[in-house]
Amino acid sequence: MKQGLLTLFALVGLGVCLGACGGTDTETKSAPAQELSAVASLAASCGGCHMESGAAIASLSRLSAEELQARLVAYKTEDGATVMHRLARGYTTEQIASVSSYLADQRAAE
């Protein structure tokens, strides 16, 4: 049951991210979910909450890679209990840097 829910959340997040990120990378658009790069898979989970169209949660579209990375590192290292604090603690510093660059690159490609 738990594995099924995790798979469902991953697929929903992937669909939302590809829509929110503009999906300009034709390789990403045509590739099945299991063939996405590791960083694209990690970044996909961001789109579940940080969508463009009128979401209550802030969009990531105006942040540079450096700003995204700084904010994620702060969430990882701060003593907080929000969803973002808990999520960021699950990423390594290298994964945070990669996801930040990936998201910024996706916006630049639009």
Side-chain angles (χ1 to χ4, degrees), residues 18-30:
L18 290 177
C21 293
T24 56
D25 182 351
T26 55
E27 181 178 329
T28 300
K29 279 181 139 177
S30 63

Side-chain angles (χ1 to χ4, degrees), residues 17-55:
C17 180
L18 290 177
C21 293
T24 56
D25 182 351
T26 55
E27 181 178 329
T28 300
K29 279 181 139 177
S30 63
Q34 67 270 20
E35 293 181 21
L36 290 176
S37 71
V39 70
S41 296
L42 290 174
S45 63
C46 302
C49 297
H50 296 280
M51 297 177 288
E52 294 287 330
S53 59

